[in-house]
Amino acid sequence: MSVRPHVLRTGVLTALAVAVLATSGCSWFRKENALYAAAPENRPLEVPPDLDRPGTAGAMVVPEQTGSVSRSDMGAPAAASHVGFAVPVEREAVFEQVGQVLAATEGLDVVSSAQLLGTYDVSYEGSNFMVRIVPTEGGSFVSAVDPRGQPAQGDAARKLMEVLGAQIGG
């Protein structure tokens, strides 16, 4: 049995056309991915798994905190180590009175003041500390504190609190 050349040619061309269509991008043979259909700048960022968190090798270890100054601790004159006194007047009025006494105290420099915080940063007899006025249930509490918020130690802080207490009525 002999095959005619045109039938052979037609079969080869048909097979070639089917192969070209199958590999050319016909939607029957192609899988779509919606993530990659958008423009490159709109595609989601692909981050390798080991790069999605900062490295902690060689990181500093934070020591445990033994205590902190909280709002409730600030208003209470409970500790005997506090250098301060209570006044049965609102904080804003006491702040003004303390400012007047500080301005009149010889040898004292008011470095800065913050009415919103109720503090005066002072330099007195070679010591630097803050005079802090905090509201309490019965009025205000005036105290001398160091820059860390702890009760100020030293004779200058005690002496200034005695002067303030005598003139403001604490």
Side-chain angles (χ1 to χ4, degrees):
M1 171 184 250
S2 75
V3 178
R4 294 191 179 163
H6 71 37
V7 173
L8 183 61
R9 212 177 318 162
T10 305
V12 169
L13 286 176
T14 304
L16 184 63
V18 168
V20 167
L21 283 175
T23 60
S24 68
C26 178
S27 64
W28 290 347
F29 302 105
R30 186 174 18 150
K31 295 181 181 177
E32 290 290 329
N33 189 340
L35 292 176
Y36 296 102
E41 57 270 3
N42 293 335
R43 293 181 190 159
L45 180 63
E46 295 179 17
V47 179
D50 59 336
L51 294 178
D52 63 350
R53 291 188 195 106
T56 57
M60 182 177 14
V61 177
V62 178
E64 287 192 31
Q65 191 76 359
T66 58
S68 67
V69 177
S70 65
R71 183 79 173 143
S72 61
D73 294 338
M74 290 172 48
S81 64
H82 276 306
V83 178
F85 57 91
V87 181
V89 181
E90 288 186 21
R91 186 183 81 149
E92 288 76 20
V94 174
F95 184 84
E96 294 298 324
Q97 292 175 354
V98 168
Q100 293 170 0
V101 173
L102 292 177
T105 303
E106 197 170 313
L108 183 132
D109 292 325
V110 175
V111 178
S112 66
S113 66
Q115 186 171 3
L116 187 62
L117 299 174
T119 61
Y120 288 96
D121 189 5
V122 299
S123 175
Y124 184 57
E125 294 184 354
S127 296
N128 296 323
F129 54 93
M130 290 189 307
V131 176
R132 179 173 61 186
I133 303 101
V134 294
T136 60
E137 281 187 31
S140 302
F141 185 73
V142 180
S143 62
V145 294
D146 66 10
R148 299 170 299 156
Q150 300 297 316
Q153 302 298 318
D155 293 333
R158 284 185 184 79
K159 184 177 175 183
L160 183 60
M161 287 298 108
E162 289 173 5
V163 168
L164 287 170
Q167 293 193 15
I168 295 176

